[in-house]
Short mmCIF file of all heavy atoms in Angstrom, two decimals:
data_model
loop_
_atom_site.label_atom_id
_atom_site.label_comp_id
_atom_site.label_asym_id
_atom_site.label_seq_id
_atom_site.Cartn_x
_atom_site.Cartn_y
_atom_site.Cartn_z
N MET A 78 3.18 -17.56 7.03
CA MET A 78 3.33 -17.66 5.59
C MET A 78 2.94 -19.07 5.17
O MET A 78 3.48 -20.05 5.68
CB MET A 78 4.79 -17.35 5.21
CG MET A 78 5.06 -17.45 3.73
SD MET A 78 6.77 -17.13 3.23
CE MET A 78 6.94 -15.41 3.56
N ASN A 79 2.03 -19.19 4.24
CA ASN A 79 1.62 -20.51 3.78
C ASN A 79 2.57 -21.00 2.69
O ASN A 79 3.45 -20.28 2.23
CB ASN A 79 0.16 -20.51 3.31
CG ASN A 79 -0.06 -19.64 2.08
OD1 ASN A 79 0.80 -19.53 1.22
ND2 ASN A 79 -1.22 -19.02 2.02
N HIS A 80 2.39 -22.25 2.29
CA HIS A 80 3.30 -22.87 1.32
C HIS A 80 3.29 -22.15 -0.02
O HIS A 80 4.34 -21.97 -0.64
CB HIS A 80 2.95 -24.35 1.12
CG HIS A 80 3.20 -25.17 2.34
ND1 HIS A 80 4.45 -25.42 2.82
CD2 HIS A 80 2.34 -25.80 3.19
CE1 HIS A 80 4.37 -26.17 3.91
NE2 HIS A 80 3.09 -26.40 4.15
N GLN A 81 2.12 -21.74 -0.47
CA GLN A 81 2.01 -21.06 -1.76
C GLN A 81 2.75 -19.72 -1.74
O GLN A 81 3.48 -19.39 -2.66
CB GLN A 81 0.54 -20.85 -2.14
CG GLN A 81 0.34 -20.25 -3.51
CD GLN A 81 0.81 -21.16 -4.64
OE1 GLN A 81 0.84 -22.38 -4.51
NE2 GLN A 81 1.18 -20.58 -5.74
N THR A 82 2.57 -18.98 -0.67
CA THR A 82 3.25 -17.69 -0.54
C THR A 82 4.76 -17.88 -0.46
O THR A 82 5.52 -17.13 -1.06
CB THR A 82 2.74 -16.94 0.71
OG1 THR A 82 1.32 -16.84 0.64
CG2 THR A 82 3.34 -15.55 0.80
N ALA A 83 5.19 -18.88 0.30
CA ALA A 83 6.63 -19.17 0.42
C ALA A 83 7.22 -19.54 -0.93
O ALA A 83 8.31 -19.08 -1.29
CB ALA A 83 6.86 -20.28 1.43
N TYR A 84 6.49 -20.36 -1.68
CA TYR A 84 6.97 -20.76 -3.01
C TYR A 84 7.05 -19.55 -3.94
O TYR A 84 8.04 -19.39 -4.67
CB TYR A 84 6.05 -21.83 -3.60
CG TYR A 84 6.43 -22.22 -5.00
CD1 TYR A 84 7.54 -23.03 -5.23
CD2 TYR A 84 5.70 -21.78 -6.09
CE1 TYR A 84 7.92 -23.38 -6.51
CE2 TYR A 84 6.06 -22.13 -7.38
CZ TYR A 84 7.16 -22.93 -7.58
OH TYR A 84 7.52 -23.27 -8.86
N GLN A 85 6.03 -18.71 -3.92
CA GLN A 85 6.04 -17.51 -4.76
C GLN A 85 7.19 -16.58 -4.37
O GLN A 85 7.83 -15.99 -5.24
CB GLN A 85 4.70 -16.80 -4.67
CG GLN A 85 3.58 -17.56 -5.35
CD GLN A 85 2.21 -16.97 -5.07
OE1 GLN A 85 2.02 -16.24 -4.11
NE2 GLN A 85 1.25 -17.31 -5.92
N ASP A 86 7.45 -16.45 -3.08
CA ASP A 86 8.57 -15.63 -2.62
C ASP A 86 9.89 -16.21 -3.13
O ASP A 86 10.74 -15.49 -3.64
CB ASP A 86 8.57 -15.57 -1.09
CG ASP A 86 9.69 -14.71 -0.53
OD1 ASP A 86 10.00 -13.66 -1.13
OD2 ASP A 86 10.25 -15.09 0.51
N PHE A 87 10.05 -17.53 -3.00
CA PHE A 87 11.28 -18.17 -3.46
C PHE A 87 11.48 -17.98 -4.96
O PHE A 87 12.57 -17.58 -5.40
CB PHE A 87 11.27 -19.67 -3.14
CG PHE A 87 12.44 -20.40 -3.72
CD1 PHE A 87 13.67 -20.36 -3.10
CD2 PHE A 87 12.33 -21.09 -4.92
CE1 PHE A 87 14.77 -21.00 -3.65
CE2 PHE A 87 13.42 -21.74 -5.48
CZ PHE A 87 14.64 -21.69 -4.83
N THR A 88 10.45 -18.25 -5.76
CA THR A 88 10.61 -18.15 -7.22
C THR A 88 10.87 -16.71 -7.65
O THR A 88 11.68 -16.48 -8.54
CB THR A 88 9.39 -18.73 -7.97
OG1 THR A 88 8.20 -18.08 -7.55
CG2 THR A 88 9.29 -20.22 -7.78
N ALA A 89 10.23 -15.75 -7.01
CA ALA A 89 10.47 -14.35 -7.35
C ALA A 89 11.92 -13.97 -7.05
O ALA A 89 12.59 -13.31 -7.85
CB ALA A 89 9.51 -13.44 -6.60
N ARG A 90 12.41 -14.39 -5.91
CA ARG A 90 13.79 -14.04 -5.52
C ARG A 90 14.82 -14.81 -6.35
O ARG A 90 15.89 -14.30 -6.65
CB ARG A 90 13.96 -14.26 -4.04
CG ARG A 90 13.06 -13.24 -3.30
CD ARG A 90 12.95 -13.50 -1.87
NE ARG A 90 14.03 -12.83 -1.19
CZ ARG A 90 14.26 -12.97 0.10
NH1 ARG A 90 13.50 -13.75 0.82
NH2 ARG A 90 15.25 -12.34 0.67
N PHE A 91 14.48 -16.05 -6.71
CA PHE A 91 15.36 -16.83 -7.58
C PHE A 91 15.47 -16.16 -8.94
O PHE A 91 16.56 -16.00 -9.48
CB PHE A 91 14.81 -18.26 -7.71
CG PHE A 91 15.70 -19.18 -8.50
CD1 PHE A 91 16.88 -19.65 -7.97
CD2 PHE A 91 15.33 -19.59 -9.77
CE1 PHE A 91 17.70 -20.50 -8.69
CE2 PHE A 91 16.13 -20.45 -10.50
CZ PHE A 91 17.32 -20.91 -9.95
N LYS A 92 14.35 -15.73 -9.50
CA LYS A 92 14.35 -15.03 -10.79
C LYS A 92 15.17 -13.75 -10.70
O LYS A 92 15.92 -13.42 -11.63
CB LYS A 92 12.94 -14.70 -11.23
CG LYS A 92 12.15 -15.89 -11.70
CD LYS A 92 10.72 -15.49 -12.06
CE LYS A 92 9.86 -16.68 -12.32
NZ LYS A 92 8.46 -16.30 -12.59
N LEU A 93 15.04 -13.02 -9.62
CA LEU A 93 15.80 -11.78 -9.45
C LEU A 93 17.30 -12.07 -9.38
O LEU A 93 18.10 -11.40 -10.04
CB LEU A 93 15.35 -11.05 -8.18
CG LEU A 93 16.05 -9.74 -7.87
CD1 LEU A 93 15.78 -8.72 -8.97
CD2 LEU A 93 15.58 -9.21 -6.51
N LEU A 94 17.69 -13.07 -8.62
CA LEU A 94 19.10 -13.44 -8.51
C LEU A 94 19.67 -13.82 -9.88
O LEU A 94 20.73 -13.35 -10.27
CB LEU A 94 19.27 -14.61 -7.54
CG LEU A 94 20.68 -15.22 -7.46
CD1 LEU A 94 21.66 -14.23 -6.86
CD2 LEU A 94 20.66 -16.51 -6.67
N ILE A 95 18.93 -14.64 -10.62
CA ILE A 95 19.40 -15.11 -11.92
C ILE A 95 19.44 -13.96 -12.93
O ILE A 95 20.34 -13.88 -13.76
CB ILE A 95 18.52 -16.27 -12.43
CG1 ILE A 95 18.62 -17.46 -11.47
CG2 ILE A 95 18.92 -16.69 -13.84
CD1 ILE A 95 20.01 -17.89 -11.12
N SER A 96 18.48 -13.06 -12.85
CA SER A 96 18.48 -11.93 -13.80
C SER A 96 19.67 -11.01 -13.56
O SER A 96 20.22 -10.44 -14.49
CB SER A 96 17.17 -11.15 -13.73
OG SER A 96 17.06 -10.44 -12.50
N LYS A 97 20.08 -10.88 -12.30
CA LYS A 97 21.22 -10.01 -11.99
C LYS A 97 22.56 -10.72 -12.16
O LYS A 97 23.57 -10.09 -12.41
CB LYS A 97 21.11 -9.51 -10.55
CG LYS A 97 20.01 -8.49 -10.36
CD LYS A 97 20.02 -7.95 -8.96
CE LYS A 97 19.00 -6.84 -8.82
NZ LYS A 97 19.06 -6.20 -7.51
N ASN A 98 22.56 -12.06 -12.00
CA ASN A 98 23.81 -12.84 -12.06
C ASN A 98 23.60 -14.12 -12.85
O ASN A 98 23.70 -15.22 -12.29
CB ASN A 98 24.28 -13.19 -10.65
CG ASN A 98 24.52 -11.98 -9.81
OD1 ASN A 98 25.48 -11.25 -10.03
ND2 ASN A 98 23.64 -11.74 -8.84
N PRO A 99 23.34 -14.03 -14.14
CA PRO A 99 23.05 -15.24 -14.92
C PRO A 99 24.20 -16.23 -14.96
O PRO A 99 23.99 -17.44 -15.12
CB PRO A 99 22.72 -14.71 -16.31
CG PRO A 99 23.29 -13.35 -16.37
CD PRO A 99 23.30 -12.83 -14.96
N HIS A 100 25.42 -15.75 -14.77
CA HIS A 100 26.57 -16.65 -14.81
C HIS A 100 26.54 -17.68 -13.67
O HIS A 100 27.09 -18.77 -13.82
CB HIS A 100 27.88 -15.85 -14.77
CG HIS A 100 28.08 -15.12 -13.47
ND1 HIS A 100 27.42 -13.93 -13.18
CD2 HIS A 100 28.84 -15.42 -12.40
CE1 HIS A 100 27.79 -13.53 -11.97
NE2 HIS A 100 28.64 -14.41 -11.48
N LEU A 101 25.90 -17.36 -12.57
CA LEU A 101 25.88 -18.29 -11.44
C LEU A 101 25.13 -19.58 -11.79
O LEU A 101 25.64 -20.68 -11.57
CB LEU A 101 25.22 -17.63 -10.22
CG LEU A 101 25.95 -16.45 -9.61
CD1 LEU A 101 25.14 -15.87 -8.46
CD2 LEU A 101 27.33 -16.85 -9.15
N ILE A 102 23.95 -19.45 -12.34
CA ILE A 102 23.19 -20.65 -12.68
C ILE A 102 23.77 -21.32 -13.92
O ILE A 102 23.78 -22.55 -14.02
CB ILE A 102 21.67 -20.36 -12.83
CG1 ILE A 102 20.86 -21.66 -12.81
CG2 ILE A 102 21.38 -19.57 -14.09
CD1 ILE A 102 20.82 -22.36 -11.49
N THR A 103 24.30 -20.53 -14.85
CA THR A 103 24.92 -21.11 -16.04
C THR A 103 26.11 -21.98 -15.65
O THR A 103 26.26 -23.11 -16.13
CB THR A 103 25.37 -20.00 -17.01
OG1 THR A 103 24.23 -19.22 -17.36
CG2 THR A 103 26.01 -20.57 -18.25
N THR A 104 26.94 -21.48 -14.77
CA THR A 104 28.10 -22.23 -14.32
C THR A 104 27.68 -23.48 -13.55
O THR A 104 28.24 -24.57 -13.76
CB THR A 104 29.00 -21.36 -13.43
OG1 THR A 104 29.40 -20.21 -14.18
CG2 THR A 104 30.23 -22.11 -12.94
N THR A 105 26.70 -23.35 -12.69
CA THR A 105 26.22 -24.49 -11.91
C THR A 105 25.69 -25.59 -12.82
O THR A 105 26.07 -26.76 -12.70
CB THR A 105 25.13 -24.05 -10.92
OG1 THR A 105 25.67 -23.06 -10.04
CG2 THR A 105 24.62 -25.22 -10.11
N LEU A 106 24.83 -25.22 -13.76
CA LEU A 106 24.26 -26.22 -14.67
C LEU A 106 25.32 -26.78 -15.61
O LEU A 106 25.31 -27.98 -15.92
CB LEU A 106 23.10 -25.61 -15.46
CG LEU A 106 21.88 -25.25 -14.61
CD1 LEU A 106 20.85 -24.53 -15.47
CD2 LEU A 106 21.29 -26.45 -13.92
N SER A 107 26.25 -25.94 -16.04
CA SER A 107 27.34 -26.43 -16.91
C SER A 107 28.17 -27.48 -16.20
O SER A 107 28.54 -28.49 -16.79
CB SER A 107 28.23 -25.27 -17.34
OG SER A 107 27.54 -24.38 -18.17
N ASN A 108 28.46 -27.25 -14.93
CA ASN A 108 29.23 -28.23 -14.16
C ASN A 108 28.48 -29.54 -14.03
O ASN A 108 29.07 -30.62 -14.14
CB ASN A 108 29.56 -27.67 -12.78
CG ASN A 108 30.61 -26.59 -12.83
OD1 ASN A 108 31.35 -26.48 -13.79
ND2 ASN A 108 30.66 -25.77 -11.79
N ILE A 109 27.18 -29.47 -13.80
CA ILE A 109 26.38 -30.69 -13.68
C ILE A 109 26.45 -31.50 -14.97
O ILE A 109 26.72 -32.70 -14.96
CB ILE A 109 24.91 -30.34 -13.35
CG1 ILE A 109 24.80 -29.75 -11.95
CG2 ILE A 109 24.02 -31.58 -13.49
CD1 ILE A 109 23.45 -29.10 -11.67
N PHE A 110 26.20 -30.84 -16.09
CA PHE A 110 26.11 -31.57 -17.35
C PHE A 110 27.48 -31.93 -17.92
O PHE A 110 27.60 -32.90 -18.65
CB PHE A 110 25.24 -30.81 -18.34
CG PHE A 110 23.81 -30.77 -17.87
CD1 PHE A 110 23.21 -29.58 -17.52
CD2 PHE A 110 23.08 -31.94 -17.73
CE1 PHE A 110 21.91 -29.55 -17.06
CE2 PHE A 110 21.77 -31.93 -17.27
CZ PHE A 110 21.18 -30.72 -16.93
N THR A 111 28.51 -31.21 -17.54
CA THR A 111 29.87 -31.59 -17.94
C THR A 111 30.24 -32.90 -17.26
O THR A 111 30.84 -33.79 -17.88
CB THR A 111 30.88 -30.50 -17.59
OG1 THR A 111 30.54 -29.32 -18.31
CG2 THR A 111 32.30 -30.92 -17.96
N MET A 112 29.88 -33.04 -15.99
CA MET A 112 30.16 -34.30 -15.29
C MET A 112 29.43 -35.45 -15.98
O MET A 112 29.96 -36.55 -16.09
CB MET A 112 29.72 -34.21 -13.82
CG MET A 112 30.58 -33.27 -13.00
SD MET A 112 32.32 -33.78 -12.96
CE MET A 112 32.21 -35.24 -11.97
N ARG A 113 28.24 -35.20 -16.46
CA ARG A 113 27.48 -36.24 -17.17
C ARG A 113 28.20 -36.63 -18.46
O ARG A 113 28.27 -37.80 -18.79
CB ARG A 113 26.07 -35.72 -17.47
CG ARG A 113 25.23 -36.68 -18.28
CD ARG A 113 24.92 -37.95 -17.49
NE ARG A 113 24.10 -38.84 -18.30
CZ ARG A 113 24.34 -40.11 -18.50
NH1 ARG A 113 25.40 -40.67 -17.95
NH2 ARG A 113 23.55 -40.84 -19.22
N LEU A 114 28.76 -35.65 -19.14
CA LEU A 114 29.44 -35.93 -20.41
C LEU A 114 30.69 -36.78 -20.23
O LEU A 114 31.05 -37.55 -21.11
CB LEU A 114 29.81 -34.62 -21.12
CG LEU A 114 28.65 -33.82 -21.69
CD1 LEU A 114 29.16 -32.48 -22.22
CD2 LEU A 114 27.94 -34.59 -22.78
N ILE A 115 31.36 -36.62 -19.09
CA ILE A 115 32.60 -37.39 -18.90
C ILE A 115 32.34 -38.75 -18.26
O ILE A 115 33.28 -39.46 -17.93
CB ILE A 115 33.66 -36.61 -18.11
CG1 ILE A 115 33.18 -36.28 -16.70
CG2 ILE A 115 34.07 -35.37 -18.87
CD1 ILE A 115 34.26 -35.67 -15.83
N GLY A 116 31.08 -39.10 -18.08
CA GLY A 116 30.79 -40.46 -17.67
C GLY A 116 30.03 -40.65 -16.38
O GLY A 116 29.54 -41.74 -16.14
N ASN A 117 29.95 -39.66 -15.55
CA ASN A 117 29.18 -39.84 -14.32
C ASN A 117 27.69 -39.81 -14.63
O ASN A 117 27.23 -39.00 -15.42
CB ASN A 117 29.51 -38.75 -13.30
CG ASN A 117 30.89 -38.90 -12.73
OD1 ASN A 117 31.43 -39.98 -12.69
ND2 ASN A 117 31.46 -37.80 -12.29
N LYS A 118 26.97 -40.69 -14.02
CA LYS A 118 25.52 -40.69 -14.20
C LYS A 118 24.92 -39.71 -13.20
O LYS A 118 25.26 -39.75 -12.02
CB LYS A 118 24.94 -42.08 -13.98
CG LYS A 118 25.42 -43.09 -14.99
CD LYS A 118 24.65 -44.38 -14.90
CE LYS A 118 25.02 -45.12 -13.65
NZ LYS A 118 24.40 -46.44 -13.54
N THR A 119 24.03 -38.87 -13.67
CA THR A 119 23.43 -37.94 -12.71
C THR A 119 22.22 -38.55 -12.03
O THR A 119 22.07 -38.44 -10.84
CB THR A 119 23.01 -36.62 -13.39
OG1 THR A 119 22.04 -36.89 -14.38
CG2 THR A 119 24.18 -35.90 -13.97
N HIS A 120 21.35 -39.18 -12.77
CA HIS A 120 20.08 -39.68 -12.23
C HIS A 120 19.39 -38.60 -11.43
O HIS A 120 18.64 -38.87 -10.50
CB HIS A 120 20.28 -40.92 -11.36
CG HIS A 120 20.67 -42.13 -12.12
ND1 HIS A 120 19.81 -42.75 -13.01
CD2 HIS A 120 21.81 -42.83 -12.15
CE1 HIS A 120 20.43 -43.79 -13.53
NE2 HIS A 120 21.64 -43.86 -13.04
N GLY A 121 19.71 -37.36 -11.72
CA GLY A 121 19.11 -36.26 -11.00
C GLY A 121 19.78 -35.97 -9.68
O GLY A 121 19.64 -34.90 -9.12
N ASP A 122 20.52 -36.95 -9.15
CA ASP A 122 21.12 -36.78 -7.82
C ASP A 122 22.16 -35.67 -7.81
O ASP A 122 22.16 -34.82 -6.92
CB ASP A 122 21.73 -38.10 -7.36
CG ASP A 122 21.98 -38.11 -5.87
OD1 ASP A 122 21.07 -37.69 -5.13
OD2 ASP A 122 23.08 -38.51 -5.46
N LEU A 123 23.04 -35.67 -8.78
CA LEU A 123 24.05 -34.63 -8.85
C LEU A 123 23.39 -33.26 -9.01
O LEU A 123 23.78 -32.29 -8.37
CB LEU A 123 25.01 -34.89 -10.02
CG LEU A 123 26.16 -33.91 -10.20
CD1 LEU A 123 27.05 -33.89 -8.97
CD2 LEU A 123 26.97 -34.28 -11.41
N ALA A 124 22.36 -33.20 -9.83
CA ALA A 124 21.64 -31.95 -10.03
C ALA A 124 20.96 -31.51 -8.73
O ALA A 124 20.99 -30.33 -8.38
CB ALA A 124 20.62 -32.10 -11.15
N GLU A 125 20.37 -32.44 -8.02
CA GLU A 125 19.71 -32.10 -6.76
C GLU A 125 20.70 -31.54 -5.75
O GLU A 125 20.43 -30.54 -5.08
CB GLU A 125 19.04 -33.33 -6.17
CG GLU A 125 17.83 -33.81 -6.93
CD GLU A 125 17.32 -35.14 -6.41
OE1 GLU A 125 17.58 -35.47 -5.23
OE2 GLU A 125 16.67 -35.85 -7.18
N ILE A 126 21.85 -32.17 -5.65
CA ILE A 126 22.87 -31.70 -4.71
C ILE A 126 23.37 -30.33 -5.13
O ILE A 126 23.52 -29.43 -4.30
CB ILE A 126 24.03 -32.71 -4.62
CG1 ILE A 126 23.56 -34.01 -4.00
CG2 ILE A 126 25.20 -32.13 -3.84
CD1 ILE A 126 24.53 -35.17 -4.14
N ALA A 127 23.63 -30.15 -6.42
CA ALA A 127 24.15 -28.87 -6.90
C ALA A 127 23.16 -27.74 -6.66
O ALA A 127 23.54 -26.65 -6.22
CB ALA A 127 24.49 -28.97 -8.38
N ILE A 128 21.89 -27.98 -6.95
CA ILE A 128 20.88 -26.93 -6.75
C ILE A 128 20.69 -26.64 -5.26
O ILE A 128 20.55 -25.48 -4.86
CB ILE A 128 19.55 -27.30 -7.43
CG1 ILE A 128 19.74 -27.39 -8.95
CG2 ILE A 128 18.47 -26.31 -7.09
CD1 ILE A 128 20.25 -26.12 -9.62
N ALA A 129 20.73 -27.68 -4.43
CA ALA A 129 20.63 -27.47 -2.99
C ALA A 129 21.79 -26.60 -2.50
O ALA A 129 21.59 -25.65 -1.73
CB ALA A 129 20.61 -28.80 -2.25
N GLU A 130 22.99 -26.92 -2.95
CA GLU A 130 24.16 -26.12 -2.54
C GLU A 130 24.11 -24.71 -3.13
O GLU A 130 24.53 -23.75 -2.50
CB GLU A 130 25.45 -26.83 -2.93
CG GLU A 130 25.68 -28.11 -2.15
CD GLU A 130 25.66 -27.91 -0.64
OE1 GLU A 130 26.24 -26.90 -0.15
OE2 GLU A 130 25.06 -28.74 0.05
N PHE A 131 23.60 -24.58 -4.35
CA PHE A 131 23.43 -23.27 -4.97
C PHE A 131 22.52 -22.40 -4.10
O PHE A 131 22.84 -21.24 -3.81
CB PHE A 131 22.81 -23.43 -6.37
CG PHE A 131 22.57 -22.14 -7.08
CD1 PHE A 131 23.54 -21.59 -7.90
CD2 PHE A 131 21.36 -21.46 -6.94
CE1 PHE A 131 23.33 -20.39 -8.56
CE2 PHE A 131 21.13 -20.27 -7.60
CZ PHE A 131 22.12 -19.73 -8.41
N ILE A 132 21.41 -22.96 -3.68
CA ILE A 132 20.47 -22.21 -2.83
C ILE A 132 21.13 -21.83 -1.52
O ILE A 132 21.03 -20.68 -1.07
CB ILE A 132 19.18 -23.04 -2.59
CG1 ILE A 132 18.40 -23.15 -3.90
CG2 ILE A 132 18.33 -22.42 -1.48
CD1 ILE A 132 17.29 -24.18 -3.87
N ASN A 133 21.83 -22.76 -0.89
CA ASN A 133 22.49 -22.47 0.38
C ASN A 133 23.59 -21.41 0.23
O ASN A 133 23.79 -20.60 1.13
CB ASN A 133 23.07 -23.75 0.98
CG ASN A 133 21.99 -24.68 1.47
OD1 ASN A 133 20.90 -24.26 1.83
ND2 ASN A 133 22.28 -25.96 1.45
N GLN A 134 24.28 -21.41 -0.88
CA GLN A 134 25.39 -20.48 -1.06
C GLN A 134 24.95 -19.09 -1.50
O GLN A 134 25.49 -18.10 -1.03
CB GLN A 134 26.38 -21.04 -2.08
CG GLN A 134 27.61 -20.18 -2.24
CD GLN A 134 28.68 -20.85 -3.07
OE1 GLN A 134 28.55 -21.99 -3.49
NE2 GLN A 134 29.75 -20.13 -3.32
N TYR A 135 23.97 -19.01 -2.39
CA TYR A 135 23.64 -17.73 -3.00
C TYR A 135 22.31 -17.13 -2.55
O TYR A 135 22.07 -15.95 -2.77
CB TYR A 135 23.63 -17.85 -4.53
CG TYR A 135 24.99 -18.20 -5.08
CD1 TYR A 135 25.22 -19.43 -5.67
CD2 TYR A 135 26.04 -17.29 -5.00
CE1 TYR A 135 26.47 -19.75 -6.17
CE2 TYR A 135 27.29 -17.60 -5.51
CZ TYR A 135 27.49 -18.83 -6.09
OH TYR A 135 28.73 -19.15 -6.58
N MET A 136 21.45 -17.92 -1.95
CA MET A 136 20.15 -17.41 -1.53
C MET A 136 20.08 -17.48 0.00
O MET A 136 19.49 -18.37 0.58
CB MET A 136 19.02 -18.21 -2.19
CG MET A 136 19.08 -18.13 -3.70
SD MET A 136 17.74 -19.00 -4.51
CE MET A 136 16.38 -17.88 -4.17
N TYR A 137 20.71 -16.50 0.63
CA TYR A 137 20.96 -16.54 2.06
C TYR A 137 19.71 -16.59 2.94
O TYR A 137 19.77 -17.01 4.08
CB TYR A 137 21.84 -15.36 2.48
CG TYR A 137 21.27 -14.02 2.09
CD1 TYR A 137 20.40 -13.35 2.92
CD2 TYR A 137 21.59 -13.44 0.86
CE1 TYR A 137 19.86 -12.13 2.56
CE2 TYR A 137 21.07 -12.22 0.49
CZ TYR A 137 20.20 -11.57 1.35
OH TYR A 137 19.67 -10.37 0.99
N ASP A 138 18.56 -16.20 2.42
CA ASP A 138 17.32 -16.25 3.21
C ASP A 138 16.64 -17.61 3.16
O ASP A 138 15.63 -17.81 3.82
CB ASP A 138 16.31 -15.20 2.71
CG ASP A 138 16.73 -13.79 3.09
OD1 ASP A 138 17.57 -13.64 3.99
OD2 ASP A 138 16.21 -12.84 2.48
N PHE A 139 17.19 -18.54 2.39
CA PHE A 139 16.59 -19.85 2.24
C PHE A 139 17.60 -20.92 2.60
O PHE A 139 18.80 -20.71 2.50
CB PHE A 139 16.12 -20.07 0.79
CG PHE A 139 15.04 -19.12 0.38
CD1 PHE A 139 15.36 -17.94 -0.26
CD2 PHE A 139 13.72 -19.40 0.65
CE1 PHE A 139 14.37 -17.04 -0.64
CE2 PHE A 139 12.72 -18.51 0.28
CZ PHE A 139 13.05 -17.33 -0.36
N LYS A 140 17.09 -22.07 3.02
CA LYS A 140 17.95 -23.20 3.34
C LYS A 140 17.43 -24.41 2.58
O LYS A 140 16.23 -24.68 2.58
CB LYS A 140 17.95 -23.49 4.83
CG LYS A 140 18.84 -24.64 5.19
CD LYS A 140 18.87 -24.90 6.66
CE LYS A 140 19.83 -26.06 6.88
NZ LYS A 140 19.54 -26.84 8.01
N SER A 141 18.31 -25.12 1.93
CA SER A 141 17.93 -26.30 1.18
C SER A 141 18.70 -27.50 1.73
O SER A 141 19.89 -27.41 2.02
CB SER A 141 18.25 -26.10 -0.30
OG SER A 141 17.88 -27.24 -1.03
N VAL A 142 18.00 -28.60 1.88
CA VAL A 142 18.60 -29.84 2.36
C VAL A 142 18.39 -30.91 1.32
O VAL A 142 17.28 -31.10 0.82
CB VAL A 142 17.95 -30.26 3.69
CG1 VAL A 142 18.50 -31.60 4.18
CG2 VAL A 142 18.13 -29.20 4.75
N HIS A 143 19.47 -31.60 0.98
CA HIS A 143 19.35 -32.74 0.06
C HIS A 143 19.03 -33.95 0.90
O HIS A 143 19.88 -34.44 1.66
CB HIS A 143 20.65 -32.93 -0.73
CG HIS A 143 20.59 -34.06 -1.67
ND1 HIS A 143 21.34 -35.21 -1.49
CD2 HIS A 143 19.87 -34.27 -2.79
CE1 HIS A 143 21.08 -36.05 -2.45
NE2 HIS A 143 20.19 -35.51 -3.25
N ALA A 144 17.80 -34.43 0.81
CA ALA A 144 17.33 -35.51 1.67
C ALA A 144 18.13 -36.78 1.50
O ALA A 144 18.33 -37.53 2.46
CB ALA A 144 15.85 -35.78 1.41
N GLY A 145 18.63 -37.05 0.32
CA GLY A 145 19.41 -38.26 0.08
C GLY A 145 20.68 -38.31 0.91
O GLY A 145 21.15 -39.38 1.28
N LYS A 146 21.27 -37.15 1.20
CA LYS A 146 22.48 -37.11 2.03
C LYS A 146 22.15 -37.48 3.47
O LYS A 146 22.97 -38.09 4.14
CB LYS A 146 23.09 -35.71 1.98
CG LYS A 146 23.88 -35.43 0.72
CD LYS A 146 24.38 -34.02 0.56
CE LYS A 146 24.96 -33.33 1.71
NZ LYS A 146 25.48 -31.99 1.41
N ASP A 147 20.99 -37.09 3.94
CA ASP A 147 20.64 -37.33 5.35
C ASP A 147 20.10 -38.73 5.58
O ASP A 147 20.14 -39.23 6.70
CB ASP A 147 19.61 -36.31 5.80
CG ASP A 147 20.20 -34.90 5.82
OD1 ASP A 147 21.45 -34.79 5.91
OD2 ASP A 147 19.42 -33.93 5.77
N LEU A 148 19.57 -39.34 4.53
CA LEU A 148 19.00 -40.68 4.71
C LEU A 148 20.05 -41.69 4.38
O LEU A 148 20.02 -42.78 4.26
CB LEU A 148 17.75 -40.83 3.84
CG LEU A 148 16.65 -39.82 4.15
CD1 LEU A 148 15.51 -39.98 3.13
CD2 LEU A 148 16.10 -40.02 5.54
#
C-alpha cells in the first residue's frame, strides 16, 4: 500500500466513523478548545495529542504517535 492509498483509506474511514458517531469528534474538539478558553495555550500541541489519542482509541486499525512525546 503506498502513501496515497493509505491516506485515502484513513480519510474514508475517519469520515465514516465521524458520520456514525459525530459526538466523538465534537467532544474531543470541545475539550481541546475549552482548555484554551480557561488559559492553557494549545500551540497545536494539545490538539495534536488529543487527535493522536482519538485515533488510537477509536480507529483500531490505525496507530498514531505524537512525536513530541517521544522526543
Side-chain angles (χ1 to χ4, degrees):
M78 179 181 291
N79 65 34
H80 293 292
Q81 184 65 27
T82 305
Y84 176 74
Q85 290 170 340
D86 181 38
F87 174 80
T88 56
R90 294 170 88 186
F91 184 73
K92 287 177 189 177
L93 180 63
L94 173 67
I95 298 309
S96 69
K97 289 185 175 185
N98 301 289
H100 66 282
L101 295 177
I102 195 69
T103 301
T104 302
T105 301
L106 294 174
S107 294
N108 288 340
I109 292 167
F110 293 114
T111 298
M112 291 300 290
R113 176 66 179 130
L114 290 174
I115 62 173
N117 290 334
K118 296 190 289 185
T119 61
H120 290 293
D122 197 46
L123 182 60
E125 290 172 23
I126 294 167
I128 296 301
E130 292 305 318
F131 179 90
I132 291 167
N133 290 332
Q134 184 171 356
Y135 296 112
M136 300 182 73
Y137 55 89
D138 288 342
F139 297 94
K140 181 178 181 208
S141 180
V142 176
H143 180 249
K146 282 174 43 177
D147 294 338
L148 301 175

